Amino acid sequence: MKNRLIGLYIVCACCLMAKADDLKLWYQQPAKVWTEALPLGNSRLGAMVYGGVVNEQIQLNEETVWGGGPHRNDSPKAFGVLPKVRELIFAGREKEAEKVMADNFFTGQHGMPFQTIGSLMLEFDGHADYSNYRRDLDLERAVASVRYKIGEVNYTRTIFTSLVDNALIIRIETDKPGAVNFTTRYSTPYKEYEIKKNGKSLLLSGHGSAHEGIPGAIRFETRTQIKAEKGKVNVTNDCIEVKGADAAVIYVTAATNFVNYKDVSANETRRATEFLAKAMKRPYAQALTAHEEAYQKLFGRVSLNIGPSSQEETSYRIKHFNERKDLGLVALMFQFGRYLLISSSQPGGQPAGLQGIWNHELLAPWDGKYTININTEMNYWPAGSTNLAECTLPLIDFIRTLVKPGEKTAQAYFGARGWTASISGNIFGFTTPLESEDMSWNFNPMAGPWLATHVWDYYDYTRDKQFLKETGYGLIKSSAQFAVDYLWKKPDGTYTAAPSTSPEHGPIDQGTTFVHAVIREILLNAIDASKVLGVDKKERRQWEEVLENLAPYQIGRYGQLMEWSKDIDDPKDEHRHVNHLFGLHPGHTLSPITTPEFAKASKVVLEHRGDGATGWSMGWKLNQWARLHDGNHAYKLYGNLLKNGTLDNLWDTHPPFQIDGNFGGTAGVTEMLMQSHMGFIHLLPALPDAWKDGEVKGLCAKGNFEVNIRWKNGELEEVVILSKNGGICEIKYKHSSIKLKTTKGKTYCLTNKNGELVLFDC
């Protein structure tokens, strides 16, 4: 049996082996607009490469360049009117309650915007008549390239944002000695800035814009220096000129004065100078190798093969995906999501925002900030399952910065213990509701507890008990305390969340399904965490009592899972938010296995909402269909996401560009192949008919199990599970299940024999 399976494995692997270009985005022309450019990033620096020939533009971001600065805007009147608001809601006078909230909950600010630095511009005289053009982004190396020919001379640019040296590095070379000639300049949209020569470097310095009455507190400095092989380098007060070189390497660094959410006292000049000096010490070839090795340690953990790839231009593949069998595009899009997460969220940095780390404006759409009523959370859905748990650490650090300001918000608005946040956040600790008279979209007091569920997820995937004890449990516990204090105990003994909304959709309510689902999730997380650590038994009993008496899920007159406490759902409503299905996904309190009636009602909701919507919404519904174990419908959403929600550079569009749909799509593919949210590893729970043969390696299941799965003709062939922490591991496939008592570091192999899982010696 063992030898036969190994033979099958080799044959299958050879059949599915990716070609060299299968994980590349490539194009036959330069980008005309920003959303056609190719993204590079090392979490701290972001770069968008247009690939121009005569004029190249590389747009730059640094993760802490934001407008405005540290501030607070809690309303001093909010908590005083809360009893009146609840009284009006329970009297059926919701409109009056909304008016009281609008008059007393807001102080006139929406938070601060993420901003660009500007662009590095490269000018190449005499390059207008070119041929053999190609630009690409290699996801396996995190390197962009531009190639073209002028006469008989071949030109190549290699660009990467080093994960090791915190610098943007660009190498320009030709196959003819002395043919490298160009000029480098800066372009920036700021009104107040300075460009000057500083030794061998060209500097761009400035500060973030004032916003909503808050002065710009962030100062930034960008430094560019060039090493040439032969030839000459001349630095002036507005440009760097390179003439007659065999090759040239451009180094770009950037830094700000940001320290933390309330401290902007760092020296940006010293930081940028040190980054540049460090980067330039390493020879180019070594720098590229070090970057690729650091990147591959993350990216190389997971591979996916479900079929052959078209070798045509990426934009063509996207446009024609639903017309052709290009299964390789699914793998490319899946891995692109992982690439974007690695590139925008590294330990020690800021988390990925609404556009990751990429933004070319001073006022990005929705300020480019952290929208924490779905979008920021969606960014991290694939982190644990696609074996990138450490990419969640910036989000957890961000959550920690919200605790102190969030405690003030919890007190000022609700008189509650613990901490919370609202619809949006930024790097300055913004936790309060946004200014608006329309309560249906901006009131989201459960954003804090939703964020805190990611803290438990990080533990659940890694089983890092020290993290849970020292960092995680405090965040989870204080969030659960807020949730408990927020609830209103009705005369019949049930708890309900008043006031609450279904974010961005519908009226103020005495207890929306979404809010109750989030509270269920965070209380279950807190209970589990307290049991793991053996602490807080008394408080745990309170959490259990609240759970037992929390207003239950309800099924409405159309057979749908109700969104509000009243049965007012409209079956013709195709709104993009599906908040009331939070318990199905990303939560785990609704499931075809444990709550089949409510799962059926959830399906009705998805049927009513339709298969369209904006990019991120299709990404969310894709995950929800996968949780309902309907692989074909999930795959239909995936196709719609590619066709109607994806730009030529594979970015998700809302519109305009939002990165969350990319992460939602990657997470959705994982959910189709493996789920582990119900306490066991569920193999191929939503495999679509289109993916008849395939193999995925390196997925991570909760409990810290690494999983390889291979299937043929739509049926599981083999699963290999590495237990990275030890403990009980239950595996299910269709109607078969097996429970293993695993040892840390040991690998377990199972095959499918006539529908039954069978363990064999690896």
Side-chain angles (χ1 to χ4, degrees):
M1 169 67 79
K2 178 180 177 181
N3 290 335
R4 182 180 67 83
L5 284 168
I6 291 174
L8 285 171
Y9 175 85
I10 293 171
V11 170
C12 187
C14 291
C15 292
L16 295 171
M17 189 174 294
K19 296 180 181 178
D21 285 350
D22 282 358
L23 291 181
K24 285 184 180 178
L25 288 68
W26 74 273
Y27 307 85
Q28 299 182 80
Q29 61 285 318
K32 295 179 181 178
V33 295
W34 185 71
T35 49
E36 292 177 357
L38 295 173
L40 296 169
N42 63 4
S43 181
R44 292 155 182 83
L45 288 177
M48 292 292 290
V49 181
Y50 282 66
V53 178
V54 176
N55 296 291
E56 168 67 294
Q57 178 178 359
I58 301 177
Q59 184 264 319
L60 304 172
N61 287 103
E62 199 279 344
E63 63 177 353
T64 57
V65 176
W66 286 65
H71 66 287
R72 289 208 59 78
N73 68 331
D74 295 305
S75 171
K77 301 181 292 183
F79 182 55
V81 302
L82 186 60
K84 179 66 174 178
V85 169
R86 285 173 167 164
E87 178 185 325
L88 290 169
I89 289 173
F90 283 104
R93 297 156 63 185
E94 289 88 357
K95 288 295 182 183
E96 294 178 54
E98 286 188 33
K99 181 66 167 57
V100 173
M101 291 175 69
D103 290 343
N104 293 277
F105 271 42
F106 310 109
T107 59
Q109 291 174 338
H110 287 78
M112 304 296 107
F114 180 47
Q115 298 190 316
T116 183
I117 290 174
S119 296
L120 187 74
M121 310 298 293
L122 307 180
E123 301 167 1
F124 299 88
D125 290 339
H127 284 210
D129 188 13
Y130 62 90
S131 61
N132 294 1
Y133 180 91
R134 174 177 167 129
R135 65 184 172 103
D136 61 45
L137 174 61
D138 188 340
L139 300 186
E140 292 188 291
R141 301 168 62 223
V143 174
S145 300
V146 180
R147 299 178 181 86
Y148 57 91
K149 193 172 185 179
I150 304 292
E152 296 302 316
V153 182
N154 293 294
Y155 287 80
T156 301
R157 283 181 230 140
T158 306
I159 312 106
F160 61 98
T161 44
S162 174
L163 280 171
V164 177
D165 293 321
N166 195 22
L168 169 68
I169 300 176
I170 307 160
R171 180 175 171 85
I172 302 172
E173 58 189 317
T174 73
D175 56 4
K176 178 183 177 182
V180 173
N181 302 279
F182 65 94
T183 300
T184 299
R185 305 180 191 275
Y186 291 119
S187 173
T188 184
Y190 291 94
K191 293 181 179 180
E192 297 181 16
Y193 62 90
E194 182 179 20
I195 297 174
K196 66 179 182 180
K197 174 183 177 180
N198 182 260
K200 295 181 179 180
S201 300
L202 186 67
L203 271 62
L204 166 63
S205 59
H207 59 83
S209 305
H211 190 71
E212 295 183 341
I214 306 298
I218 296 297
R219 300 187 309 271
F220 64 85
E221 182 168 295
T222 304
R223 286 179 169 260
T224 299
Q225 192 164 325
I226 300 177
K227 282 184 179 179
E229 296 176 13
K230 300 184 178 180
K232 294 183 179 180
V233 178
N234 181 42
V235 185
T236 73
N237 275 326
D238 70 347
C239 69
I240 306 177
E241 298 173 323
V242 176
K243 293 183 178 180
D246 292 349
V249 181
I250 307 170
Y251 298 85
V252 184
T253 60
T256 76
N257 58 330
F258 181 85
V259 178
N260 59 45
Y261 74 96
K262 58 182 179 179
D263 184 352
V264 287
S265 64
N267 186 315
E268 68 278 8
T269 298
R270 183 182 300 118
R271 284 176 164 180
T273 302
E274 290 174 353
F275 291 150
L276 185 62
K278 179 186 175 185
M280 295 190 72
K281 282 182 180 179
R282 200 189 304 264
Y284 170 79
Q286 292 181 18
L288 179 59
T289 298
H291 162 71
E292 291 178 347
E293 288 177 351
Y295 173 75
Q296 261 296 322
K297 286 179 181 178
L298 299 167
F299 184 82
R301 294 171 182 170
V302 173
S303 63
L304 172 65
N305 289 296
I306 55 173
S309 293
S310 164
Q311 299 304 305
E312 290 166 308
E313 191 175 9
T314 303
S315 52
Y316 182 91
R317 296 175 68 185
I318 297 168
K319 183 178 179 180
H320 296 281
F321 176 75
N322 285 336
E323 304 165 16
R324 309 173 64 191
K325 192 175 182 180
D326 183 8
L327 295 176
L329 185 57
V330 176
L332 180 68
M333 188 73 164
F334 168 82
Q335 293 286 27
F336 185 59
R338 298 183 68 244
Y339 165 81
L340 291 174
L341 189 57
I342 294 168
S343 301
S344 61
S345 188
Q346 286 294 302
Q350 302 300 316
L354 200 59
Q355 295 183 318
I357 194 175
W358 300 278
N359 164 43
H360 66 303
E361 300 179 71
L362 296 183
L363 193 61
W366 304 283
D367 294 335
K369 53 198 174 193
Y370 300 111
T371 305
I372 49 180
N373 67 343
I374 174 63
N375 312 95
T376 301
E377 290 89 347
M378 182 182 282
N379 288 357
Y380 288 88
W381 287 351
S385 60
T386 70
N387 218 332
L388 296 173
E390 57 267 70
C391 291
T392 306
L393 293 174
L395 179 67
I396 294 172
D397 288 341
F398 172 71
I399 292 169
R400 294 171 70 184
T401 70
L402 298 180
V403 171
K404 290 299 181 183
E407 287 174 347
K408 294 178 180 178
T409 297
Q411 273 292 318
Y413 285 78
F414 311 110
R417 297 171 297 163
W419 68 279
T420 195
S422 192
I423 186 173
S424 290
N426 56 46
I427 63 171
F428 303 119
F430 186 86
T431 56
T432 54
L434 302 184
E435 173 69 14
S436 176
E437 293 183 359
D438 183 358
M439 297 299 302
S440 69
W441 69 268
N442 73 326
F443 184 67
N444 181 31
M446 286 301 142
W450 187 349
L451 285 171
T453 65
H454 285 262
V455 179
W456 172 256
D457 270 355
Y458 175 79
Y459 165 76
D460 214 3
Y461 277 109
T462 64
R463 293 300 168 98
D464 185 341
K465 193 170 181 179
Q466 184 176 355
F467 160 81
L468 186 65
K469 181 179 180 180
E470 296 178 357
T471 301
Y473 182 62
L475 299 173
I476 295 167
K477 175 182 176 180
S478 57
S479 189
Q481 289 173 331
F482 169 78
V484 167
D485 287 2
Y486 184 85
L487 289 167
W488 177 273
K489 192 170 186 178
K490 295 171 67 174
D492 64 2
T494 60
Y495 292 96
T496 189
S500 58
T501 68
S502 196
E504 301 195 37
H505 188 219
I508 287 288
D509 190 67
Q510 66 174 266
T512 62
T513 300
F514 162 78
V515 174
H516 291 158
V518 174
I519 291 173
R520 282 187 182 89
E521 203 72 23
I522 192 61
L523 292 183
L524 287 168
N525 292 169
I527 290 166
D528 287 343
S530 70
K531 288 179 179 178
V532 170
L533 298 177
V535 297
D536 291 330
K537 291 183 180 180
K538 183 177 180 180
E539 190 145 25
R540 189 194 311 160
R541 285 195 293 271
Q542 182 191 25
W543 296 333
E544 291 169 340
E545 187 271 330
V546 170
L547 271 177
E548 290 172 3
N549 294 284
L550 191 62
Y553 289 115
Q554 299 182 82
I555 297 176
R557 62 191 187 280
Y558 300 111
Q560 87 284 5
L561 189 77
M562 285 168 50
E563 188 164 4
W564 296 277
S565 61
K566 297 178 182 178
D567 193 358
I568 58 173
D569 299 43
D570 180 358
K572 296 180 180 179
D573 183 358
E574 295 186 350
H575 196 272
R576 63 193 179 278
H577 282 262
V578 277
N579 305 302
H580 45 319
L581 302 192
F582 177 95
L584 179 67
H585 181 277
H588 74 295
T589 55
L590 296 173
S591 167
I593 296 172
T594 57
T595 60
E597 288 188 20
F598 289 129
K600 183 179 179 182
S602 299
K603 181 178 179 180
V604 173
V605 171
L606 289 174
E607 290 171 341
H608 287 174
R609 290 296 166 90
D611 298 327
T614 58
W616 68 263
S617 178
M618 289 186 282
W620 194 359
K621 289 187 284 190
L622 152 66
N623 282 271
Q624 291 169 335
W625 277 112
R627 287 280 176 95
L628 289 173
H629 303 163
D630 191 333
N632 288 333
H633 210 131
Y635 191 46
K636 181 179 181 181
L637 263 296
Y638 196 87
N640 289 351
L641 176 62
L642 271 169
K643 181 180 179 181
N644 302 315
T646 302
L647 299 164
D648 281 351
N649 68 351
L650 281 186
W651 262 351
D652 168 71
T653 179
H654 178 60
F657 160 57
Q658 285 186 194
I659 204 167
D660 39 23
N662 288 107
F663 297 132
T666 295
V669 170
T670 310
E671 293 284 344
M672 295 160 76
L673 298 175
M674 183 193 73
Q675 297 174 15
S676 62
H677 60 287
M678 298 303 294
F680 53 85
I681 298 173
H682 197 170
L683 303 172
L684 307 180
L687 185 70
D689 293 340
W691 300 355
K692 290 188 178 300
D693 304 326
E695 179 179 35
V696 64
K697 292 182 178 181
L699 295 183
C700 193
K702 293 183 176 183
N704 202 9
F705 299 100
E706 194 169 288
V707 183
N708 301 342
I709 308 169
R710 191 177 71 248
W711 65 96
K712 189 172 183 180
N713 293 324
E715 295 289 333
L716 175 71
E717 278 202 322
E718 180 182 307
V719 57
V720 178
I721 298 174
L722 170 63
S723 178
K724 299 171 74 173
N725 202 70
I728 300 298
C729 179
E730 184 176 0
I731 307 105
K732 289 183 181 290
Y733 173 66
K734 293 187 175 179
H735 301 295
S736 177
S737 66
I738 191 169
K739 187 176 288 188
L740 306 174
K741 186 176 181 180
T742 70
T743 301
K744 182 178 180 179
K746 186 175 179 180
T747 298
Y748 299 84
C749 299
L750 298 94
T751 186
N752 172 21
K753 187 173 182 180
N754 299 321
E756 294 292 325
L757 290 172
V758 177
L759 185 68
F760 69 94
D761 185 3
C762 294

